[in-house]
Amino acid sequence: MMRKPIHSVWCSFSILFITLNMVSCKKNVEEPNDAQEGYTIGFRFQEFEQHASTLGAKKATRGKSYSAANTATQDMYEGHIYYWSFNAETLMPDIYPSTHWSITYNQGQTPDEYGIGWLYEDYIAGRALSIKGLNELIFKMPLTNVSALQELAFDVSSSGTGPKSFSLSFSQDGENYTVIEENNQFSNTNTPQAKNTFSFALEDQLLDFSRDLYIKLMPKAGNRGSAGDYNGTTGTMRIDNFRVSGIAEKVADANVRRVHYHVFDATTKNLMLSGADHFREGALSDFALTLPAGDYIASFVANVSNAELNIPETGDALTYFIANTFSNSKAEIFGVLDTFSVQGDMQKDIELNRYYSEIRFEFTDVGDLSEVAKLIVKREHDVNFYAPFHPTMDNPIEDSSEIVLLPQFDEANREVFFNQFIGNTPIPVPLKYKVDVYDGSDELIRTFQVESEIRNNMQLLFRGKLLDAPNGQFVVRLNENWDGEKQVDFN
């Protein structure tokens, strides 16, 4: 069964307006003092790809051909459409076909507690959603790109005084619900937090796929066996591996599109709010933070790639950092630090900047390069991470990954490239790469090294012969379209 919709990483960041909404975000926070009045701060991200430049005509050509290929990959897949493992202790689903989903309980509250979870397929037995005093739990799931639903399934447990049964219903307006199954008795009532797995057929439900699907679970006392008396206030219920299967359109998108936010007190540097929300290209999302009066520094980081960033969700500003795995070489990572004061409800416009640079190789060989089948790029410099509040932080991560490039060289195309995460720094950082060149039989043809120093938001071009040539002298050329372009020739 397919775990994730197939996505393409080369989506432009074109226009993104996100006014921030906490429905889908975990809050690892120092909650605002209840005695202090909270104010709503809306953040709107400005268009942050409008100053993007191209490096020669071939980049524009590549973009055009990608657009054509993009259309061709719009296909269907059968499998999990939505899936929540909760293993990252966040409400972010592991698999989803469209944005604007949400999970709420007890008249609109956002759950943020987690307990021990259970293994499911190749997902580890990590964490599960845990809710005390549950009256109702509602999953809202848009059905955009969905053509058929087949099954709903999940794992559930409860404490000794928690519910031992539940009713399940669905709606498409969030108001009028139709019962799927009224009584769902736990099979194991004698062991607190014992796993019970339920599945429900959805094939016969008449659904409008242009509308949202709401699934509501309402706990019941149930047959209790040797469990204690049901207590609807103190009893705890856990939900894990919540999944909906069916048929949906493969989305031409990156596997990961997330905006991370961390808000620190400007004086104490304590973390006040943190979380993340996902987005899709062209999707309009609402996003709002509530903070008491005070001075703050907010870090926003947008990640469009095939892997999650390494960002701690707890700790203060001095322990905060951002890192991207080296092998996640197509990652487009934008971010900003913003300082602001809160004295009432307000809205802010935020412009994100590139936290990466583009590394490009242009090969000048006169002869045929068709024998080259693979390039493996190895990082020879220190691990790249960005600690905006602690520039001298010791390296907090390990990363021995490599970039594998599979070029298809011809007379018109003799270039390869990847993105290097750097962060935001006015001081150039040293970069050094070792490149192994292989033929179609996976035999090593040649190894060479290149190095230079650049800031973020630059384009670095290594230009020279790929085969049968030693490393040569470096030549630098700057172009301010991206804040800078640097060319290094090697012979």
Side-chain angles (χ1 to χ4, degrees), residues 30-262:
E30 192 176 290
E31 292 289 353
N33 190 326
D34 291 339
Q36 293 181 278
E37 182 177 1
Y39 299 103
T40 299
I41 301 91
F43 296 85
R44 183 175 59 214
F45 294 128
Q46 300 299 298
E47 181 180 358
F48 51 91
E49 189 71 357
Q50 58 186 341
H51 300 300
S53 66
T54 59
L55 181 56
K58 290 185 179 179
K59 187 164 187 178
T61 302
R62 184 187 71 237
K64 182 177 181 180
S65 63
Y66 166 73
S67 178
N70 213 17
T71 303
T73 61
Q74 296 281 339
D75 201 355
M76 307 302 289
Y77 77 97
E78 183 173 0
H80 292 328
I81 294 174
Y82 281 96
Y83 173 73
W84 279 267
S85 73
F86 301 111
N87 286 344
E89 295 198 357
T90 173
L91 300 185
M92 179 77 182
D94 299 77
I95 300 172
Y96 56 93
S98 61
T99 187
H100 299 305
W101 43 263
S102 67
I103 304 175
T104 57
Y105 77 105
N106 296 5
Q107 291 74 51
Q109 298 183 61
T110 301
D112 59 4
E113 296 294 332
Y114 302 87
I116 297 173
W118 302 284
L119 175 74
Y120 176 71
E121 292 187 346
D122 54 349
Y123 291 89
I124 64 171
R127 307 297 284 171
L129 191 64
S130 180
I131 303 176
K132 182 179 180 180
L134 179 67
N135 295 322
E136 63 175 15
L137 177 65
I138 298 176
F139 285 75
K140 173 191 171 187
M141 295 169 284
L143 299 181
T144 307
N145 304 316
V146 176
S147 60
L149 292 184
Q150 297 167 344
E151 185 181 74
L152 163 68
F154 52 86
D155 300 324
V156 63
S157 72
S158 70
S159 62
T161 59
K164 302 301 177 185
S165 179
F166 62 89
S167 69
L168 195 74
S169 56
F170 79 93
S171 172
Q172 292 212 268
D173 60 9
E175 298 291 337
N176 302 297
Y177 281 85
T178 300
V179 173
I180 297 175
E181 190 68 45
E182 183 61 44
N183 294 296
N184 300 279
Q185 175 64 42
F186 287 12
S187 59
N188 189 333
T189 60
N190 299 329
T191 306
Q193 300 300 358
K195 173 185 172 182
N196 298 269
T197 300
F198 291 88
S199 62
F200 305 89
L202 299 177
E203 295 173 316
D204 296 333
Q205 303 295 346
L206 298 177
L207 297 173
D208 181 351
F209 293 102
S210 67
R211 303 172 68 187
D212 297 336
L213 173 66
Y214 296 81
I215 296 293
K216 180 165 70 173
L217 182 155
M218 298 185 68
K220 293 185 173 185
N223 299 323
R224 308 197 60 77
S226 62
D229 293 337
Y230 177 49
N231 189 320
T233 302
T234 62
T236 301
M237 194 170 190
R238 290 183 189 170
I239 306 288
D240 197 13
N241 299 315
F242 188 97
R243 64 252 186 210
V244 175
S245 61
I247 300 174
E249 184 178 294
K250 296 174 184 176
V251 181
D253 195 357
N255 288 348
V256 178
R257 278 182 170 264
R258 300 192 72 178
V259 173
H260 299 261
Y261 68 91
H262 291 72

Side-chain angles (χ1 to χ4, degrees), residues 293-310:
D295 298 325
Y296 301 96
I297 303 175
S299 170
F300 296 101
V301 181
N303 173 29
V304 173
S305 72
N306 283 328
E308 296 284 0
L309 298 178
N310 187 345

Side-chain angles (χ1 to χ4, degrees), residues 379-401:
R379 176 185 51 79
E380 298 284 289
H381 56 266
D382 291 338
V383 174
N384 296 96
F385 67 95
Y386 177 44
F389 302 97
H390 190 183
T392 60
M393 177 188 290
D394 292 336
N395 176 22
I397 62 172
E398 295 183 1
D399 182 8
S400 58
S401 63

